[in-house]
Amino acid sequence: MISAFVLILAALLDYLIGDPWGWPHPVRVIGWVISRLSNISLKYCQNPFSQRLAGIILGISVIIGSGLVGWIIVKIAQEVHPFLGMTVQSILLASCFALKSLGNAAMEVLQPLSNGELAQARQILSNYVGRDTANLSPGEILRAVLETVTENATDGVMAPLFYTIIGTFIPVVGAVPLALAYKASSTLDSMIGYKQAPYTYIGWFSARWEDGFTWLPCRLTVITLSLLSTNPVNVWRICCRDAVKDPSPNSGWSECAYAAILGVQMGGVNWYGGVAKHKPLLGDPIYPITPDSIDQALKLTRYGFLSWLGLAIVIFLIP
């Protein structure tokens, strides 16, 4: 009963409040720690071997440390009062879910785009994607937003919920530590998990670890989305055809599932620092990508989140 209450409250907090700008946030703290440690490692480690070793130590320390700090905070709150413990757990878990912030980010770009303010839409989009945005057409902006929404649906929404549920079934660990450990892994990957210098070696471990951490929830997300669609066999067929071409073991599957359901095509040429990078085409271009496509993708993510949430609550309430 307590686990169900905590999970419902966390989901409600994310739905109603999201991540208010300027408020203390665990991911910002984790990001600050990663930035400091990676800068120190790059300063004192000058060769590939030492940077790989530093990256392994950095990754393990941040992931385990994030989970441990979360465990300590929850335990202290529970010692003060059980209700405070549940409240703290809910707040920390809500900070791990990015359902509302994902939708808000998409709307921030779509609003000026719909008003014909192309330059502003490009500028706002640059805050959320790594590709060059200065010369993107309206269609390319829509594709960028949809790709961001569908890729982050897994590592920003579904995977944190997955590890929250798993953690709940491991009392000695708990939901908060496992969810925070995953968010730490995801943040490490987004900050230093690049093949380009200066993170080529120091970020290798974090990138590989995040791939492994996300693999199972990503496949379960694809299965869930396919079941929510009207043609699950076709969704899985297209994913098996196209997603395997993507160099990422997870983002291609996540994006491709949405592309198959929406009847759109993602991928193509993106520019990074003036260099063209060709991403495999995902899905069939039955329909053009529109703001409605993005809205439908966000709804699919919400339905997937709620289906996992509902299933977990039913399991928790079984005597």
Side-chain angles (χ1 to χ4, degrees):
M1 180 67 73
I2 293 176
S3 298
F5 174 79
V6 168
L7 198 53
I8 292 172
L9 182 56
L12 281 173
L13 287 173
D14 178 62
Y15 176 76
L16 295 173
I17 301 175
D19 297 328
W21 183 257
W23 285 27
H25 196 288
V27 175
R28 294 193 186 100
V29 176
I30 292 170
W32 180 84
V33 172
I34 294 170
S35 178
R36 293 296 297 272
L37 292 180
S38 61
N39 287 338
I40 292 172
S41 299
L42 289 170
K43 180 178 179 180
Y44 292 103
C45 301
Q46 301 296 326
N47 60 72
F49 175 78
S50 62
Q51 287 187 359
R52 281 184 185 271
L53 182 60
I56 293 173
I57 295 172
L58 188 159
I60 293 175
S61 300
V62 171
I63 292 169
I64 295 179
S66 298
L68 182 60
V69 170
W71 184 85
I72 292 172
I73 291 173
V74 169
K75 289 299 179 183
I76 292 174
Q78 289 173 335
E79 288 295 323
V80 174
H81 195 280
F83 182 75
L84 178 62
M86 290 188 292
T87 303
V88 168
Q89 287 183 74
S90 299
I91 293 172
L92 290 174
L93 288 176
S95 72
C96 294
F97 305 148
L99 188 58
K100 186 177 183 66
S101 59
L102 193 60
N104 289 344
M107 292 306 109
E108 280 187 40
V109 179
L110 293 180
Q111 185 171 359
L113 184 64
S114 64
N115 294 332
E117 300 168 350
L118 191 57
Q120 185 179 356
R122 290 167 174 164
Q123 178 58 41
I124 296 173
L125 179 63
S126 68
N127 296 325
Y128 299 108
V129 300
R131 72 191 70 180
D132 300 341
T133 63
N135 299 310
L136 293 184
S137 67
E140 290 172 324
I141 291 175
L142 289 171
R143 176 169 69 86
V145 173
L146 184 60
E147 288 175 353
T148 300
V149 164
T150 56
E151 178 182 352
N152 286 284
T154 293
D155 56 20
V157 180
M158 301 301 288
L161 177 60
F162 173 81
Y163 285 106
T164 293
I165 295 170
I166 295 299
T168 303
F169 288 103
I170 311 176
V172 69
V173 178
V176 169
L178 208 55
L180 285 176
Y182 177 78
K183 292 300 290 187
S185 174
S186 179
T187 307
L188 279 161
D189 180 58
S190 64
M191 290 183 67
I192 65 173
Y194 299 103
K195 295 181 179 180
Q196 296 81 13
Y199 303 116
T200 306
Y201 303 107
I202 198 172
W204 170 83
F205 173 82
S206 294
R208 298 290 78 74
W209 183 264
E210 199 275 341
D211 286 344
F213 224 177
T214 307
W215 193 92
L216 180 56
C218 178
R219 269 62 186 177
L220 292 176
T221 298
V222 172
I223 292 172
T224 301
L225 292 173
S226 66
L227 292 175
L228 290 172
S229 73
T230 56
N231 195 345
V233 175
N234 184 61
V235 173
W236 191 255
R237 177 187 64 81
I238 293 176
C239 285
C240 290
R241 183 193 71 189
D242 296 342
V244 293
K245 302 173 186 176
D246 196 290
S248 168
N250 298 311
S251 64
W253 281 85
S254 185
E255 292 178 29
C256 194
Y258 286 90
I261 294 171
L262 298 173
V264 300
Q265 188 172 75
M266 288 185 266
V269 179
N270 297 328
W271 292 82
Y272 298 87
V275 179
K277 181 177 180 181
H278 297 262
K279 290 193 65 177
L281 297 175
L282 306 173
D284 299 318
I286 300 172
Y287 306 108
I289 297 175
T290 65
D292 185 62
S293 306
I294 297 166
D295 182 61
Q296 290 299 315
L298 290 168
K299 287 180 179 178
L300 279 168
T301 305
R302 190 179 306 118
Y303 297 153
F305 182 90
L306 291 174
S307 65
W308 286 16
L309 181 69
L311 180 61
I313 291 171
V314 169
I315 294 174
F316 294 153
L317 295 179
I318 294 176

